[in-house]
Amino acid sequence: MSEMTIIDDAPERGRTDLWPFWRKAYAQGDPLPKLAGHVNRPTYRFDEGDPLPEEYKGLLLKMLRHEGERAGNKSFLGLMGTCLELAEALFPNQETKLLKSEYLAEELKHAIMFHRLAVGLDRAFALRDVPYAHYAFHLPRESWADDAYFHFFVDLNGAFHSRDWRASSYIPLRKMAATVERDELGHSEMGYYFLTLICQDKKGKALAQHLLGKWYPAALDMFGRSDSPNAPRFIQWGLKSVGNAEIRQAYKQYVDRKLEALGVDLPDERKNRRFL
Ligand SMILES: [Fe+2]
């Protein structure tokens, strides 16, 4: 049985009814918004092994550096270790810990996929350690609710970026985009499921309301500056189809709808922000 078959049919082999969470989300149609790309730009297509224009390769590596999940990235393996410790220390029961282990298994699957891509692109990069630069990865996770928000917001960021890679000019990335998008949305839904459990009682909802002030601005900041000088270059080369402001706005509309359904009040979107 080939490795991909083992990875591909894992969801069918009797996981908890809840996992994978993406199944329910996609059963009701496309859960994510369409990102209206910039149409009047040249269409590039580069496959593995093709000679890449220098600027293009530089931008592609810059984008992949943000994508931590890579077997050769020591910082990613460290983050996964932290996730296990958090589950052990903060999760309320066996079922939620099992869900977290399913999440980890899937991130390790992504680590293999991005490793393959990295080896085909730049062997030195495949082995490079890239510490998580964005402050959202370093916000203290002191409660189960913190960890739930981390997954709801941060994995969703991954899903939105993967949605955009479906039209990527780099073919190896385009090929894996739908799988990574689906999985990351599932991880975000896991976080959301935990939040619905936490908000079932008054104390839990008050905690969720309080912690939202910490996680909401960080989540919106993960899309970078709206006037980023690189964004037009990414779009020109077909590595991204929309700018930071557009994808952030689409993301905000999605999370606001979900948060309102939880019954929490939305923070002011400009409060405590570092990258507008
Ligand atoms: Fe994820």
Side-chain angles (χ1 to χ4, degrees):
M1 190 188 280
S2 80
E3 195 173 75
M4 280 316 280
T5 313
I6 291 170
I7 290 176
D8 280 348
D9 74 1
E12 305 314 316
R13 268 186 281 125
R15 293 282 183 267
T16 75
D17 302 346
L18 292 165
W19 191 268
F21 283 89
W22 56 258
R23 225 188 321 226
K24 203 162 146 228
Y26 284 85
Q28 293 141 14
D30 186 352
L32 291 176
K34 299 229 169 338
L35 298 171
H38 295 242
V39 282
N40 51 5
R41 61 181 168 86
T43 47
Y44 295 100
R45 279 173 77 88
F46 298 104
D47 211 333
E48 187 173 298
D50 289 352
L52 302 176
E54 200 183 323
E55 184 191 25
Y56 183 91
K57 185 170 181 183
L59 288 168
L60 179 55
L61 284 170
K62 184 178 172 60
M63 195 167 74
L64 291 172
R65 271 202 297 278
H66 289 300
E67 199 50 53
E69 298 146 33
R70 199 169 29 84
N73 181 10
K74 209 173 51 185
S75 296
F76 163 72
L77 299 173
L79 181 73
M80 293 300 105
T82 314
C83 279
L84 271 177
E85 283 156 18
L86 283 169
E88 203 46 49
L90 302 172
F91 278 41
N93 54 38
Q94 202 59 9
E95 187 207 40
T96 53
K97 287 177 186 172
L98 182 69
L99 290 171
K100 182 81 171 191
S101 69
E102 294 283 11
Y103 152 81
L104 275 163
E106 223 158 56
E107 295 291 16
L108 295 173
K109 174 185 90 178
H110 293 173
I112 296 169
M113 295 162 77
F114 280 105
H115 175 71
R116 287 277 151 77
L117 187 142
V119 168
L121 175 64
D122 184 312
R123 290 180 173 224
F125 173 65
L127 297 170
R128 192 173 310 156
D129 175 29
V130 180
Y132 288 89
H134 197 276
Y135 74 91
F137 286 94
H138 303 286
L139 289 175
R141 281 185 266 171
E142 297 151 334
S143 64
W144 183 33
D146 274 310
D147 200 60
Y149 270 131
F150 176 83
H151 289 297
F152 171 60
F153 283 127
V154 177
D155 290 276
L156 187 67
N157 177 282
F160 270 71
H161 281 127
S162 307
R163 165 54 50 109
D164 202 21
W165 292 336
R166 286 179 179 238
S168 177
S169 56
Y170 193 59
I171 302 307
L173 197 53
R174 184 191 285 213
K175 282 182 182 161
M176 54 192 269
T179 300
V180 177
E181 174 203 301
R182 176 200 74 177
D183 294 347
E184 293 300 345
L185 186 88
H187 302 163
S188 175
E189 285 295 298
M190 174 188 76
Y192 192 71
Y193 167 69
F194 293 161
L195 288 168
T196 59
L197 296 179
I198 290 161
C199 289
Q200 277 173 355
D201 66 38
K202 224 157 160 269
K203 205 161 144 268
K205 186 174 274 187
L207 176 62
Q209 184 66 65
H210 169 68
L211 293 175
L212 191 54
K214 171 167 105 178
W215 288 99
Y216 190 80
L220 296 182
D221 275 345
M222 287 189 82
F223 293 97
R225 289 170 36 196
S226 297
D227 62 353
S228 151
N230 289 321
R233 302 309 302 153
F234 278 111
I235 293 169
Q236 181 66 19
W237 283 114
L239 286 167
K240 292 183 181 181
S241 69
V242 289
N244 297 348
E246 289 104 321
I247 193 168
R248 185 188 355 258
Q249 196 50 35
Y251 175 96
K252 182 182 177 302
Q253 278 164 4
Y254 178 96
V255 295
D256 287 357
R257 222 181 22 251
K258 301 279 283 185
L259 291 167
E260 278 163 348
L262 266 182
V264 290
D265 302 327
L266 299 178
D268 170 353
E269 72 172 291
R270 300 179 73 85
K271 197 171 173 213
N272 297 335
R273 295 282 303 281
R274 301 184 196 179
F275 307 101
L276 285 173

